[in-house]
Amino acid sequence: MTLDGVLPVAIAASPFLVRYTVRDGHVLEVAVAILAPVLAAILRAAIGVHQLDAVTNGKPNITRQILFSMAIVMLLLVEIFVSTLQFAQNEPLSSWFLPAGLFFFYLILIQNALRPDETTQYV
């Protein structure tokens, strides 16, 4: 497994690991709840830029760049909500509907941003 595969898993697992290894109210909970989503968004943006370049042959138009940036911000919001809900106590199941809806919106945005051009030839 490469670093590209290990690092996202480590970042995604950090809220879960912190929740079950430190006592409630520890400062590490707050740090992970804030830092893990930001680090994950930065990592996904870096990976996504390479994907965007591959789909557009290194010349993405402004529409794709805007869609891509909106998708990354949407994913950051999803990760913040999910990270916060992981540390919340006795939250109802309905609290998870907002991040689920935002993730669905993220999928629509990223699909449109990374859709191959009609002029691109694949061998």
Side-chain angles (χ1 to χ4, degrees):
M1 188 178 265
T2 65
L3 185 60
D4 287 345
V6 173
L7 198 55
V9 170
I11 292 171
S14 62
F16 177 78
L17 293 174
V18 167
R19 181 170 186 204
Y20 291 105
T21 56
V22 300
R23 67 187 189 289
D24 287 341
H26 196 278
V27 71
L28 196 56
E29 284 185 348
V30 176
V32 167
I34 293 170
L35 293 177
V38 173
L39 291 174
I42 291 169
L43 182 65
R44 288 194 177 111
I47 293 169
V49 166
H50 293 292
Q51 292 174 335
L52 190 60
D53 283 342
V55 168
T56 60
N57 294 326
K59 297 176 184 169
N61 61 21
I62 190 71
T63 305
R64 284 183 187 267
Q65 292 178 20
I66 289 171
L67 286 171
F68 182 75
S69 63
M70 288 173 53
I72 294 299
V73 169
M74 192 63 53
L75 189 58
L76 175 63
L77 290 174
V78 168
E79 290 172 347
I80 288 171
F81 280 119
V82 168
S83 181
T84 303
L85 286 172
Q86 283 179 338
F87 292 113
Q89 301 293 326
N90 300 323
E91 287 297 318
L93 180 62
S94 61
S95 300
W96 290 89
F97 293 160
L98 179 62
L102 290 176
F103 187 74
F104 180 73
F105 189 54
Y106 156 78
L107 290 175
I108 292 170
L109 289 171
I110 202 71
Q111 188 270 333
N112 287 319
L114 296 178
R115 182 180 24 198
D117 287 334
E118 293 82 22
T119 59
T120 305
Q121 297 289 327
Y122 292 102
V123 187

